Amino acid sequence: MPVPVYSATETQEVGSQNVGSLKLRGHHAIPTTSAYPELDTQGYTVVKGVISKEKAQEYVDRAYKWLEGFGKGFKGDDRSTWHIDNLPEFSKGGLYNRHGSGHEQFAWDIRAEPGVIETFAKIWGTDELLVSFDGVNVSLPFPEEEMGDRAKAWPHVDQSPLRRFKHCIQGIMNLHENGPDDGGLAVLTGSFPLYNEFFETHEDEAPPEGWSWRDSHNFTESQLQWFYDRGCKWTKIEAGPGDVILWDSRCIHYGAAAHGDRPRVATYICYKPAKDITPEMLELRKECVKNYDNTSHDPLMFRATGTRIYGKLTEDEQEKPRELPVLSERAQQLAGVKAY
């Protein structure tokens, strides 16, 4: 199935909704990501050594200190305390997208790391970027009986079925050694080039109102079988401390729970050019900063998320980060509260 051809400035429309401009670096007939060619062939790649291993360990220690601050009994250096009841509320393998997690100081310090910014600047051809206010992942090797449904896979793409073009490149700042049995990103290799063909040949499976505009689609087992029949296989991505994992939002993936004896510690990072945001969404970003709300992954076309938006799951759940962030000038630009 050929990839749709869009110019570097063409704006796509879905019904009456403007879904953003495709403005990737360069002016290729078929837009490519010249710095990371694997993104255009397999849909994912690992960028090695974006920050030092020593700096990565510092962030691991700060993530553990953050969890210890909830006072539930967790101690980063005492594995006998590594139990779900000793931690604040999380989902999936170890996803923290509540508690103001997206605005913890250590999360902001990671976003402002020069190497992280440069990784995305190479994609977009500019370092004048906005960043998502996404969550933190600390997936500890819990006993299976404690994990329950939190350990289940949830294969999905983070792009609306209506957007059948390159729209977003997501990222993970990997902070701990991450091998085949540790928690982390699992991708369905071979699914990326089949994205358009799948939705074009499965229109009968769209809901009555049509495919959703939301940048997400969860796949059923029968839908996954269509990909398996075409040779697609699951691959657990391995990365070292300080590496950044990148993937195209059209690549089927999920966050695997930890099955070995090592933890996974990471933050989610996603940047796009500041010049492409609408005035309305820029104002919403400022509100999210003011209220310490998390956001979905896309920095330009996002939904506000988190405790204040969804309500508390437990009485002791907090809406604000434990360490209120003090943003540097660079971080303020990335946040959208200070203009470039």
Side-chain angles (χ1 to χ4, degrees), residues 263-338:
R264 175 202 185 191
V265 186
T267 61
Y268 300 94
I269 48 176
C270 186
Y271 303 69
K272 277 188 170 182
K275 62 184 175 59
D276 291 343
I277 197 167
T278 65
E280 295 78 13
M281 296 308 291
L282 182 59
E283 288 305 308
L284 181 55
R285 285 182 64 86
K286 293 177 181 179
E287 285 296 309
C288 289
V289 172
K290 176 182 176 182
N291 295 316
Y292 304 110
D293 295 331
N294 282 27
T295 65
S296 52
H297 66 278
D298 190 325
L300 307 184
M301 302 170 59
F302 59 89
R303 290 172 288 109
T305 65
T307 300
R308 190 185 72 87
I309 300 298
Y310 295 143
K312 295 182 179 182
L313 293 178
T314 60
E315 284 298 319
D316 60 352
E317 185 172 330
Q318 61 186 49
E319 294 184 0
K320 297 180 179 181
R322 302 200 66 79
E323 182 181 0
L324 297 181
V326 177
L327 302 187
S328 65
E329 181 177 3
R330 189 69 174 100
Q332 291 179 54
Q333 291 173 326
L334 294 170
V337 298
K338 183 179 179 63

Side-chain angles (χ1 to χ4, degrees), residues 188-191 194 224-234:
L188 188 59
T189 55
S191 66
L194 295 172
L224 289 173
Q225 189 61 50
W226 184 89
F227 289 93
Y228 300 151
D229 291 343
R230 286 153 180 79
C232 299
K233 298 182 183 299
W234 285 106

Side-chain angles (χ1 to χ4, degrees), residues 23-26 32-36 39 43-48 50-51 107 110-134 166-174 185 242-249 267-276 297-300 330 334 340:
K23 295 182 179 178
L24 283 182
R25 188 179 187 182
T32 60
T33 309
S34 57
Y36 311 107
L39 285 173
Y44 64 92
T45 194
V46 178
V47 185
K48 305 297 290 183
V50 172
I51 64 173
I110 289 173
R111 294 182 187 120
E113 284 281 352
V116 176
I117 298 170
E118 177 61 19
T119 297
F120 281 85
K122 289 178 179 178
I123 295 174
W124 299 109
T126 178
D127 63 0
E128 294 188 354
L129 301 166
L130 295 176
V131 69
S132 60
F133 309 145
D134 216 324
K166 187 184 294 295
H167 179 63
C168 191
I169 304 297
Q170 298 171 251
I172 289 172
M173 181 69 253
N174 190 65
L185 184 69
D243 296 348
V244 165
I245 305 170
L246 298 173
W247 74 99
D248 190 298
S249 294
T267 61
Y268 300 94
I269 48 176
C270 186
Y271 303 69
K272 277 188 170 182
K275 62 184 175 59
D276 291 343
H297 66 278
D298 190 325
L300 307 184
R330 189 69 174 100
L334 294 170
Y340 282 99

Side-chain angles (χ1 to χ4, degrees), residues 4-12 20-32 123-124 165-166 273 275-276:
V5 177
Y6 303 117
S7 73
T9 58
E10 184 174 356
T11 299
Q12 306 305 316
S21 298
L22 185 67
K23 295 182 179 178
L24 283 182
R25 188 179 187 182
H27 299 277
H28 308 280
I30 298 176
T32 60
I123 295 174
W124 299 109
F165 49 88
K166 187 184 294 295
K275 62 184 175 59
D276 291 343

Side-chain angles (χ1 to χ4, degrees), residues 87-104:
L87 291 165
E89 189 66 32
F90 67 89
S91 62
K92 311 304 182 185
L95 173 59
Y96 293 89
N97 52 14
R98 292 171 169 270
H99 318 285
S101 60
H103 294 278
E104 284 292 335

Side-chain angles (χ1 to χ4, degrees), residues 41 47 56 72 111 161 177 183:
T41 56
V47 185
K72 290 178 170 289
R111 294 182 187 120
E177 191 65 41

